[in-house]
């Protein structure tokens, strides 16, 4: 039970309560920066990520937020801890779906496997910075305008409809040359035809040109902005505490680099995951709308955090099971494709840049 001294984290009047003291914020931000520095040091020398390495780091980055949740429960109570764990589960689920887009970009740009983790890490760092900005903006809006809950709810419902429609069409191999950021770069700056290790620019024809690594990095940073639009309102639908919103986003993003290589061959089998995420986004969107309406009309019901957790876990479990069953049936119907290797196109240049 939540201690009486802890104010509910999703207040009806639009004001925000937070467990984030200056010291807790400072230690959390310092810890996140330290983990990113370690990751950048690990990826400083390009190399192909082994499954053993990817699994090891993925386990670490899953255990870390789970242990932090124990701290939240012991320090701030079970209610706050439930909000943290539910928010983390939502953010982690959305980050897994985002890996589909990362896979498409890495394949479309034929990024050498030795450079993939560097691109992913830069993308994760950019995503965290953008989400931090959205979190601060969301906190300011909620503090000043209770109707922000309605606005966030409608955003999530609209996003859910788009995710469902995209899932019905399928994750197509979109031509990355048509991405707005790529078209813009090609108009204002020359792009080298080949990768040059981890270098972002090279001297070419007497001038400086961007490498394909720089372009794919910009493309991923552009998608990060779109991801933040649905992920931040989604977790605000679970908790109104800006600190918990930041912590769940940070923990969900940390380790995404390693998780990509663990799930690279599995993602294609989760054919119903996007449907499940669409249902979850719609559910949280409706929850936010009800929360706003309850502040206007007392008779409007609200959705408790425990019910949210049950719905989210149930939807994820159901879509995972149905995905694996559907993939199994598809493989049985196409035995010649069942053993086909899953991966990205072959590299076109030496990743070392030599």
């Amino acid at each position: 039970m939540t201690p009486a001294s802890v104010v509910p984290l999703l207040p009806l009047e639009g004001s925000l309560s937070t467990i984030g003291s200056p010291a807790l914020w400072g230690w959390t931000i310092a810890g996140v920066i330290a983990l990113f520095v370690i990751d950048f040091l690990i990826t400083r020398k390009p190399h192909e990520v082994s499954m053993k390495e990817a699994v090891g780091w993925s386990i670490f980055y899953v255990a870390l937020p789970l242990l932090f949740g124990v701290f939240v429960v012991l320090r701030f109570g079970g209610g706050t801890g439930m909000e943290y764990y539910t928010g983390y589960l939502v953010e982690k689920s959305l980050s897994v779906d985002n890996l589909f887009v990362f896979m498409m970009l890495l394949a479309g740009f034929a990024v050498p496997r030795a450079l993939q983790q560097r691109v992913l890490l830069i993308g994760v760092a950019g995503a965290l910075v953008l989400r931090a900005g959205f979190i601060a903006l969301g906190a300011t809006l909620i503090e000043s305008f209770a109707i922000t809950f309605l606005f966030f709810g409608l955003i999530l419902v609209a996003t859910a409809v788009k995710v469902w429609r995209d899932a019905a069409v399928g994750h197509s191999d979109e031509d990355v040359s048509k991405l707005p950021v790529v078209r813009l770069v090609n108009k204002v700056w020359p792009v080298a035809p080949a990768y040059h290790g981890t270098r972002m620019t090279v001297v070419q024809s007497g001038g400086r040109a961007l490498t394909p690594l720089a372009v794919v990095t910009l493309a991923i940073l552009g998608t990060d902005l779109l991801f933040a639009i649905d992920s931040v309102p989604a977790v605000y639908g679970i908790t109104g505490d800006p600190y918990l919103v930041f912590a769940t986003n940070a923990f969900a993003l940390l380790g995404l680099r390693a998780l990509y290589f663990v799930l690279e061959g599995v993602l294609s089998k989760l054919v119903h995951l996007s449907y499940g995420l669409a249902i979850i986004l719609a559910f949280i969107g409706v929850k936010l709308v009800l929360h706003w309406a309850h502040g206007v009309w007392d008779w409007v019901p609200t959705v408790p955090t425990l019910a949210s957790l049950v719905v989210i876990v149930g939807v994820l479990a159901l879509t995972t099971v149905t995905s694996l069953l559907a993939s199994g049936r598809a493989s049985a119907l196409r035995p010649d494709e069942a053993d086909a290797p899953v991966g990205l196109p072959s590299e076109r240049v030496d990743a070392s840049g030599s």
Side-chain angles (χ1 to χ4, degrees):
M1 181 177 296
T2 305
S5 59
V6 179
V7 181
L9 298 181
L10 205 56
L12 296 179
E13 299 303 324
S15 61
L16 291 179
S17 176
T18 179
I19 64 172
S21 64
L24 187 56
W25 272 106
W27 282 110
T28 303
I29 294 175
V32 170
I33 293 175
L35 290 170
F36 268 114
V37 169
I38 292 173
D39 265 355
F40 269 109
L41 292 176
I42 292 173
T43 61
R44 181 172 57 86
K45 182 178 180 181
H47 67 280
E48 293 192 23
V49 179
S50 67
M51 182 58 68
K52 180 180 178 180
E53 177 185 352
V55 170
W57 280 107
S58 295
I59 292 175
F60 170 77
Y61 279 118
V62 170
L64 187 62
L66 294 181
L67 291 175
F68 184 79
V70 174
F71 160 75
V72 173
V73 171
L74 295 177
R75 177 66 178 82
F76 303 103
T80 303
M82 185 176 297
E83 292 181 357
Y84 164 78
Y85 279 122
T86 305
Y88 171 71
L89 181 60
V90 169
E91 290 303 303
K92 200 65 177 178
S93 302
L94 290 172
S95 68
V96 170
D97 191 53
N98 293 346
L99 289 180
F100 280 112
V101 180
F102 288 164
M103 182 178 291
M104 181 270 292
L105 289 173
L106 294 178
F109 283 97
V111 180
R113 292 190 65 85
L115 297 177
Q116 288 174 11
Q117 60 177 340
R118 173 56 66 89
V119 175
L120 290 169
L121 187 58
I122 293 175
V124 168
L128 186 57
V129 171
L130 289 170
R131 292 187 189 191
F134 272 84
I135 290 168
L137 177 61
T140 301
L141 291 174
I142 291 173
E143 184 74 21
S144 303
F145 309 102
I147 200 173
T148 302
F149 288 117
L150 174 62
F151 177 67
F152 278 180
L154 295 178
I155 287 179
L156 290 182
V157 172
T159 302
V161 173
K162 181 181 184 303
V163 171
W164 185 280
R165 289 177 176 175
D166 290 345
V169 175
H171 288 279
S172 59
D173 295 328
E174 180 182 353
D175 184 1
V176 294
S177 65
K178 297 180 180 179
L179 294 174
V181 64
V182 176
R183 293 202 304 265
L184 177 62
V185 169
N186 285 331
K187 288 181 179 179
V188 301
W189 205 277
V191 178
Y195 287 88
H196 294 266
T198 58
R199 298 175 65 182
M200 294 292 183
T201 63
V202 292
V203 176
Q204 177 179 281
S205 302
R208 188 157 292 275
L210 297 176
T211 65
L213 182 65
V215 180
V216 68
T217 299
L218 290 173
I220 284 185
L221 290 176
T223 61
D224 284 340
L225 179 61
L226 300 178
F227 294 158
I229 293 175
D230 58 32
S231 63
V232 172
V235 73
Y236 265 124
I238 303 299
T239 174
D241 186 333
Y243 173 79
L244 290 179
V245 174
F246 174 80
T248 53
N249 270 273
F251 280 130
L253 290 171
L254 288 170
L256 200 60
R257 169 188 64 85
L259 186 62
Y260 173 88
F261 295 100
V262 174
L263 298 181
E264 184 179 5
V266 180
L267 283 174
S268 60
K269 298 182 183 298
L270 300 179
V271 293
H272 296 160
L273 177 62
S274 292
Y275 290 108
L277 292 176
I279 294 173
I280 291 173
L281 289 173
F283 170 77
I284 298 175
V286 171
K287 178 183 177 182
L288 280 172
V289 173
L290 290 175
H291 177 78
W292 166 80
H294 183 77
V296 179
W297 304 286
D298 291 339
W299 55 267
V300 177
T302 58
V303 182
T305 302
L306 179 59
S308 300
L309 181 59
V310 171
V311 170
I312 292 167
V313 171
V315 170
L316 289 176
L318 179 62
T319 53
T320 299
V321 171
T322 58
S323 293
L324 295 178
L325 291 176
S327 297
R329 287 195 297 268
S331 297
L333 293 175
R334 298 189 300 272
D336 55 319
E337 297 180 10
D339 297 327
V342 178
L344 301 180
S346 58
E347 293 104 325
R348 58 191 177 199
V349 295
D350 181 5
S352 65
S354 57

